[in-house]
């Protein structure tokens, strides 16, 4: 059954369609709203942590760049393509795509720069799960960026555009998942020493819940593309 509500305000008439999918739409909107709050919470948490050291160092640059790149920009870039994401709901598909591109490129550049800053600062590398996963996330980010550019330029030519889109989505999801896991290990190893077990465990749980919130809809879309 479809119920239509006419909502008159001055001379504008806005029609709101409420159909059988309404509970699902409400559910997805709540998930997205919670995800936005959590993205802000974990980004603030990491930046607040690094600020207590009060020294300008590669460590500080690393945390700012990786957190802004991966957690703020790349997560929002994925959410911008979500049909239930509040701020992007009013945009046309073409505009959403452009915003997605801009945020992905900027986020990836900052995230890659943040990883390189720490890789070349003279401290021995690949000695922790955080460092190894962070480097793998950087490699996936570079691959995702390249697949995104291939996706963009093959729009008009390729018959296999669906495959390119799937590869791009899978690489992007892998890059973000491994980056979030790396952040979990940063909370586990580094943050725990300063803020203790309770705060570190809470930060890890919130990071995992945020990742699930960011990736849910993108995974549903990818599965829909793969299934006939
Ligand atoms: C999504 C966010 C983050 C990513 C993807 C990331 C990635 C990386 C990468 C690629 C390295 C260099 C690898 C190496 O030297 O072995 C690294 C090192 C490091 N990061 Fe991060 N990082 C992130 C956030 C953080 C945060 C929030 C902290 C602090 C709480 C932190 C603390 C460190 C430290 C102390 C090192 C050097 C020692 C080590 O490898 O553990 N990182 N990170």
């Amino acid at each position: 059954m479809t119920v239509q509500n006419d909502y008159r305000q001055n001379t504008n008439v806005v029609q709101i369609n409420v159909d059988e999918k309404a509970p699902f739409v409400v559910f997805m909107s709540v998930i997205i709203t919670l995800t936005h709050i959590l993205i802000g919470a974990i980004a603030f948490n990491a930046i607040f942590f690094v600020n207590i050291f009060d020294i300008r160092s590669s460590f500080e640059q690393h945390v700012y760049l990786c957190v802004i790149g991966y957690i703020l920009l790349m997560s929002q870039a994925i959410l911008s393509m979500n049909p239930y994401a509040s701020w992007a709901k009013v945009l046309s598909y073409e505009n959403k795509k452009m915003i997605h591109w801009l945020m992905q490129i900027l986020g990836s550049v900052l995230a890659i720069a943040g990883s390189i800053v720490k890789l070349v600062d003279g401290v021995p590398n690949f000695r922790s799960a955080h460092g190894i996963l962070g480097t793998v996330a950087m490699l996936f980010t570079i691959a995702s960026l390249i697949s995104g550019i291939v996706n963009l330029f093959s729009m008009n030519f390729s018959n296999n555009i669906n495959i390119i889109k799937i590869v791009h989505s899978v690489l992007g999801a892998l890059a973000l998942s491994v980056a979030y896991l790396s952040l979990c290990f940063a909370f586990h190893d580094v943050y725990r020493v300063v803020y203790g077990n309770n705060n570190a465990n809470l930060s890890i749980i919130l990071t995992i819940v945020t990742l699930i919130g960011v990736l849910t809809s993108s995974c549903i879309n990818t599965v829909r593309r793969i299934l006939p």
Side-chain angles (χ1 to χ4, degrees):
M1 187 186 75
T2 299
V3 181
Q4 289 203 333
N5 300 325
D6 281 359
Y7 175 74
R8 290 189 166 77
Q9 205 175 36
N10 300 325
T11 54
N12 298 331
V13 177
V14 180
Q15 292 208 316
I16 304 165
N17 287 329
V18 182
D19 59 22
E20 298 84 2
K21 286 186 178 162
F24 178 71
V25 174
V26 171
F27 174 74
M28 285 308 286
S29 301
V30 171
I31 298 284
I32 300 292
T33 306
L34 286 176
T35 307
H36 282 304
I37 295 170
L38 288 175
I39 286 174
I42 58 169
F44 176 78
N45 192 12
I47 286 176
F48 184 85
F49 169 76
V50 76
N51 277 346
I52 61 174
F53 296 103
D54 207 21
I55 39 160
R56 300 282 162 271
S57 61
S58 61
F59 176 49
E60 192 182 39
Q61 292 162 4
H62 163 69
V63 174
Y64 267 87
L65 289 168
C66 283
V67 167
I68 294 174
Y70 282 118
I71 309 300
L72 291 181
L73 290 173
M74 284 171 71
S75 303
Q76 285 295 344
I78 290 186
L79 287 179
S80 71
M81 296 307 284
N82 188 309
Y84 311 101
S86 52
W87 63 269
K89 239 189 279 190
V90 289
L91 299 175
S92 68
Y93 180 67
E94 285 308 310
N95 286 342
K96 270 189 196 178
K97 237 171 37 185
M98 199 175 67
I99 289 181
H100 172 78
W101 277 106
L102 290 175
M103 289 176 102
Q104 273 292 19
I105 292 172
L106 186 61
S108 304
V109 169
L110 293 184
I112 292 167
S115 305
I116 291 176
V117 159
K118 203 75 195 77
L119 281 166
V120 300
D121 71 351
V123 178
N125 301 121
F126 315 126
R127 292 181 152 204
S128 64
H130 168 74
I132 294 167
L133 287 171
T135 310
V136 173
M138 182 185 77
L139 296 177
F140 276 133
T141 305
I142 295 170
S144 162
L145 208 55
I146 294 170
S147 73
I149 292 165
V150 172
N151 188 357
L152 184 69
F153 286 108
S154 56
M155 287 281 184
N156 303 324
F157 311 111
S158 177
N159 297 328
N160 294 326
I161 191 69
N162 234 16
I163 306 237
I164 298 172
K165 274 192 176 158
I166 292 167
V167 170
H168 173 60
S169 316
V170 170
L171 284 173
L174 275 175
L176 207 68
S177 307
V178 181
Y180 269 72
L181 279 184
S182 169
L183 181 61
C184 286
F185 278 100
F187 286 136
H188 179 68
D189 298 331
V190 190
Y191 182 102
R192 188 181 295 278
V193 179
V194 180
Y195 280 137
N197 286 334
N198 290 348
N199 286 326
N201 293 341
L202 182 65
S203 304
I204 293 168
I205 291 167
L206 293 185
T207 307
I208 298 288
V209 174
T210 312
L211 176 63
I212 294 170
V214 171
L215 290 185
T216 303
S217 150
S218 136
C219 290
I220 293 174
N221 282 344
T222 307
V223 171
R224 276 189 187 147
R225 275 200 186 108
I226 294 170
L227 294 179

